[in-house]
Amino acid sequence: MPSLVGSEMCIRDSSDTDNPLEQISNNNKPIIGVNVNYNKITNKITALQYLYDRNKNPNPQKHNVGIFGSKKTNINAGTIGDHRNQTNGIEKHNFTCPPNSAIYKVEGAYDKLGLRGVKYHCQDIKTGKLVKSYDNNNKQVYGVTFGIEPQPDDENYHYDKSECSMYTNTNTNKYYPTFISNIGGEYDMKKKNIQNLKFNKCSFYYDK
């Protein structure tokens, strides 16, 4: 699975950058889902764990789900944020793209309190066709949102996004949909905020 240089979506509170805790995964496999801890009282996302498909070759029937950055001795090693935060209002949610699909776009909403909302979009790994996933209400939707829905025209929050586009092989004139990979982020231990999310590359699947 070759990888392409990708983009970065930064979600920062620029007023304080003292000793943020940064978690980064250099795994070039595309992300297929996420585990989310969300505080419904403060409307803040407190922790994120990104998921990938451990299958050597994509199985169109079923993902073999793994957690980015996890270790045998610490399954939470790759967590962005504080997974130990179990204060009042914390809810745990998760989603995965359907088999044979992965995440190609992420949108974020944030303010001085940190990451307030995030939305994930899936597409088919071969055709690039948009696909639906199940949200928190067990409904199939295009784009799954956790927290406040990111919207470009919402003046109450800053909006940002990271999106992978089609890759063209100039030697064969073939087109490949690409997907977000090599992820990371920073968590401010003092403010208890996720300061930014980083999506460093776009990867694609191809037939050998």
Side-chain angles (χ1 to χ4, degrees):
M1 183 191 301
S3 61
L4 308 173
V5 175
S7 58
E8 177 180 299
M9 179 177 75
C10 285
I11 296 179
R12 297 182 184 273
D13 172 8
S14 59
S15 64
D16 186 356
T17 57
D18 292 339
N19 299 319
L21 178 64
E22 183 167 5
Q23 296 289 349
I24 295 179
S25 170
N26 291 322
N27 192 325
N28 287 328
K29 281 200 167 187
I31 56 176
I32 61 166
V34 64
N35 297 327
V36 179
N37 286 9
Y38 178 73
N39 191 316
K40 64 180 180 181
I41 297 175
T42 62
N43 291 324
K44 287 171 57 177
I45 292 176
T46 60
L48 296 168
Q49 289 181 330
Y50 284 104
L51 311 177
Y52 71 100
D53 188 358
R54 293 186 295 187
N55 287 318
K56 184 176 181 180
N57 297 307
N59 183 339
Q61 303 299 321
K62 185 178 181 180
H63 289 305
N64 181 8
V65 179
I67 301 174
F68 274 117
S70 66
K71 302 176 182 178
K72 290 183 179 179
T73 55
N74 184 7
I75 194 174
N76 296 304
T79 301
I80 301 168
D82 185 7
H83 68 276
R84 295 167 295 185
N85 185 344
Q86 299 300 321
T87 56
N88 290 337
I90 295 291
E91 296 181 342
K92 295 185 176 182
H93 302 288
N94 66 79
F95 102 102
T96 55
C97 296
N100 229 47
S101 66
I103 294 170
Y104 81 99
K105 181 169 71 172
V106 181
E107 299 174 280
Y110 65 97
D111 60 13
K112 289 185 177 181
L113 295 178
L115 182 61
R116 307 296 294 273
V118 65
K119 187 173 185 178
Y120 299 94
H121 301 262
C122 305
Q123 65 180 6
D124 187 275
I125 65 172
K126 291 186 176 180
T127 66
K129 181 180 178 181
L130 302 184
V131 297
K132 292 182 177 182
S133 303
Y134 286 98
D135 66 7
N136 294 332
N137 298 314
N138 204 33
K139 293 182 179 180
Q140 286 189 306
V141 295
Y142 290 114
V144 176
T145 300
F146 298 98
I148 295 167
E149 182 168 5
Q151 299 183 41
D153 57 354
D154 188 342
E155 297 181 355
N156 295 311
Y157 302 97
H158 182 76
Y159 170 88
D160 208 345
K161 73 173 181 177
S162 183
E163 182 174 358
C164 292
S165 57
M166 281 283 186
Y167 166 68
T168 305
N169 185 326
T170 56
N171 294 322
T172 62
N173 288 324
K174 287 187 176 181
Y175 295 87
Y176 297 90
T178 66
F179 304 89
I180 291 173
S181 63
N182 193 291
I183 51 89
E186 292 179 356
Y187 179 74
D188 189 314
M189 297 291 288
K190 181 180 178 181
K191 287 191 170 185
K192 300 186 182 301
N193 291 340
I194 295 178
Q195 289 194 304
N196 66 65
L197 300 178
K198 295 181 179 179
F199 305 102
N200 302 310
K201 289 185 179 181
C202 294
S203 298
F204 65 93
Y205 298 88
Y206 70 100
D207 297 325
K208 295 181 179 180

